[in-house]
């Protein structure tokens, strides 16, 4: 597998599936998201089991949730798949959906948080995906993330810029963008779903509702499981509703204190995570440039480049 596959961009009238691989979400939110997708000029289709409820939290059994993902992948009239929400449960689908299926039917899979596990499997199959807003956020018309997501689907590729954080470590890096939710990613890093050896990585991470102690432990797990010699740059997104049980001023301060052995660029404050989820093209070759004043993230893929100025993520902390 030499190159990552770029799924085809969409055209007006294309079908977009909405599925629930993890937690259940109210059908009203799914219908509202479908209406937004329709307003984009696309045709929404809803997975059969999105309104099922299993043990009070999941959108159906693991087999039912997997069957909706398989249906959306195998139906070649469907050009993109938007997950309704995360929570927990996507990991149940990993051994129920053949990884070869992602490469045989390359299309945009969209989600974040717990859906990180599926995005990682897609990247391991050599296909790009979108770490971005899910149906419950699209239905709330979360902007500007939803507009950027729509633009990507139609072939406009964002080039992100933002004011550098005081926590940053300057430098230049090139590699494949991989990552997402720290809890979900650290659970499967080093597994058979890994990217093939030899690909340099730019790692991006976010987290919500964990203690600093847990974030510290999860990050050390990741360093043990992932070949960090391949990591050429790191991007930290939003860390929201974090419980401070260790004496640090911020999550970024703690993590960077543990990374001083790495001479690589580190960028903090990117607005991707549970609060505002600006889309990140998972598996895409990209360039990260971090200076004292500006941070730039450029995706080197086909499409019409569109510069997007970002606002630094505002941490939502609990002490």
């Amino acid at each position: 597998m030499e190159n990552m596959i770029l799924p085809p961009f969409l055209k007006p009238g294309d079908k977009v599936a909405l599925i629930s691989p993890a937690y259940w979400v109210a059908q009203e939110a799914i219908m509202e998201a479908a209406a937004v997708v329709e307003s984009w000029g696309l045709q929404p289709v809803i997975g059969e089991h999105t309104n099922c409820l299993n043990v009070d939290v999941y959108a159906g059994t693991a087999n039912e949730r997997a069957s909706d993902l398989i249906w959306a992948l195998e139906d070649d009239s469907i050009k993109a798949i938007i997950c309704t929400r995360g929570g927990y449960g996507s990991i149940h689908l990993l051994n129920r959906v053949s990884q070869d299926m992602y490469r045989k039917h390359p299309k945009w899979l969209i989600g974040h948080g717990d859906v990180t596990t599926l995005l990682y499997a897609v990247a391991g199959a050599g296909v790009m995906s979108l770490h971005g807003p899910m149906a419950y956020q699209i239905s709330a018309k979360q902007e500007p993330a939803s507009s950027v997501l729509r633009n990507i689907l139609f072939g406009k590729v964002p080039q992100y810029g933002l004011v550098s954080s005081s926590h940053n470590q300057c430098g230049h890096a090139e590699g494949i963008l991989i990552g997402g939710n720290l809890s979900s990613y650290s659970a499967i890093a080093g597994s058979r779903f890994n990217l093939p050896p030899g690909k340099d990585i730019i790692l991006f991470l976010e987290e919500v509702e964990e203690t600093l102690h847990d974030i510290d432990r999860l990050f050390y797990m990741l360093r043990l499981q992932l070949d960090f010699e391949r990591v050429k740059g790191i991007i930290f997104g939003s860390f929201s509703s974090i419980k401070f049980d260790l004496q640090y001023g911020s999550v970024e301060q703690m993590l960077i204190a543990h990374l001083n052995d790495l001479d690589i660029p580190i960028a903090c404050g990117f607005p991707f995570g549970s609060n505002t989820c600006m889309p990140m093209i998972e598996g895409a070759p990209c360039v990260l440039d971090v200076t004292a004043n500006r941070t730039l993230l450029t995706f080197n893929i086909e499409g019409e480049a569109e510069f997007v100025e970002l606002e630094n993520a505002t941490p939502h902390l609990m002490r």
Side-chain angles (χ1 to χ4, degrees):
M1 183 167 55
E2 293 295 326
N3 297 308
M4 303 292 290
I5 295 174
L6 174 69
F9 293 120
L10 277 59
K11 304 183 299 296
D14 280 345
K15 290 182 181 178
V16 175
L18 283 78
I19 67 167
S20 301
Y23 276 7
W24 177 89
V25 65
Q27 199 72 7
E28 302 83 70
I30 297 176
M31 297 307 295
E32 288 171 4
V36 174
V37 170
E38 191 170 19
S39 75
W40 295 350
L42 301 168
Q43 182 180 347
V45 288
I46 298 173
E48 178 183 357
H49 299 101
T50 55
N51 205 30
C52 295
L53 186 61
N54 178 249
V55 294
D56 292 329
V57 290
Y58 299 121
T61 66
N63 285 337
E64 288 172 337
R65 287 177 276 131
S67 70
D68 278 2
L69 177 55
I70 292 170
W71 155 74
L73 288 168
E74 290 185 333
D75 186 335
D76 290 333
S77 71
I78 293 173
K79 303 303 181 182
I81 305 167
I82 299 177
C83 298
T84 61
R85 68 158 295 176
Y88 178 73
S90 296
I91 197 168
H92 301 157
L93 278 58
L94 289 183
N95 288 328
R96 290 175 165 85
V97 181
S98 168
Q99 203 170 7
D100 292 338
M101 194 173 294
Y102 300 120
R103 195 167 179 86
K104 186 178 179 181
H105 304 279
K107 56 189 69 177
W108 294 106
L109 178 64
I110 303 156
H112 70 273
D114 177 71
V115 179
T116 293
T117 56
L118 297 179
L119 303 183
Y120 191 49
V122 173
V127 181
M128 299 180 207
S129 61
L130 280 169
H131 181 279
M134 294 185 281
Y136 77 96
Q137 293 162 314
I138 293 171
S139 68
K141 298 180 175 61
Q142 187 185 78
E143 296 294 352
S146 292
S147 292
V148 174
L149 171 62
R150 176 198 62 208
N151 290 347
I152 293 174
L153 291 176
F154 284 112
K156 290 187 176 181
V157 180
Q159 313 297 309
Y160 290 136
L162 75 166
V163 175
S164 286
S165 163
S166 60
H167 296 296
N168 284 1
Q169 189 165 295
C170 297
H172 171 89
E174 300 181 19
I176 301 296
L177 188 70
I178 294 294
N181 177 258
L182 177 59
S183 299
S184 302
Y185 185 46
S186 61
I188 57 173
S191 71
R192 63 182 176 85
F193 297 98
N194 256 342
L195 283 174
K199 288 188 179 294
D200 289 340
I201 292 170
I202 293 178
L203 183 66
F204 73 102
L205 298 169
E206 57 87 17
E207 191 51 85
V208 60
E209 294 182 352
E210 296 285 355
T211 66
L212 280 185
H213 181 95
D214 287 335
I215 291 173
D216 185 63
R217 173 176 51 82
L218 288 165
F219 192 75
Y220 268 104
M221 283 174 56
L222 192 58
R223 290 205 66 173
L224 292 170
Q225 294 168 333
L226 190 65
D227 180 4
F228 251 76
E229 290 187 359
R230 298 168 61 188
V231 177
K232 304 303 179 183
I234 299 176
I235 303 172
F236 290 126
S238 64
F239 289 83
S240 55
S241 300
I242 301 302
K243 305 173 183 69
F244 274 65
D245 56 346
L246 297 174
Q247 296 305 308
Y248 287 94
S250 67
V251 179
E252 293 86 356
Q253 183 186 57
M254 179 187 73
L255 291 174
I256 289 176
H258 299 325
L259 291 170
N260 55 18
D261 60 317
L262 301 179
D263 185 21
I264 60 174
I266 300 173
C268 299
F270 265 70
F272 61 83
S274 64
N275 289 340
T276 300
C277 197
M278 294 299 293
M280 302 284 273
I281 306 176
E282 185 112 20
C286 63
V287 177
L288 176 65
D289 284 298
V290 183
T291 69
N293 298 317
R294 296 283 294 165
T295 297
L296 296 173
L297 178 64
T298 303
F299 296 102
N300 288 332
I301 62 173
E302 296 178 8
E304 179 186 350
E306 178 183 56
F307 182 78
V308 178
E309 182 71 23
L310 301 176
E311 293 185 9
N312 286 73
T314 302
H316 177 200
L317 308 176
M318 299 173 64
R319 292 189 180 273

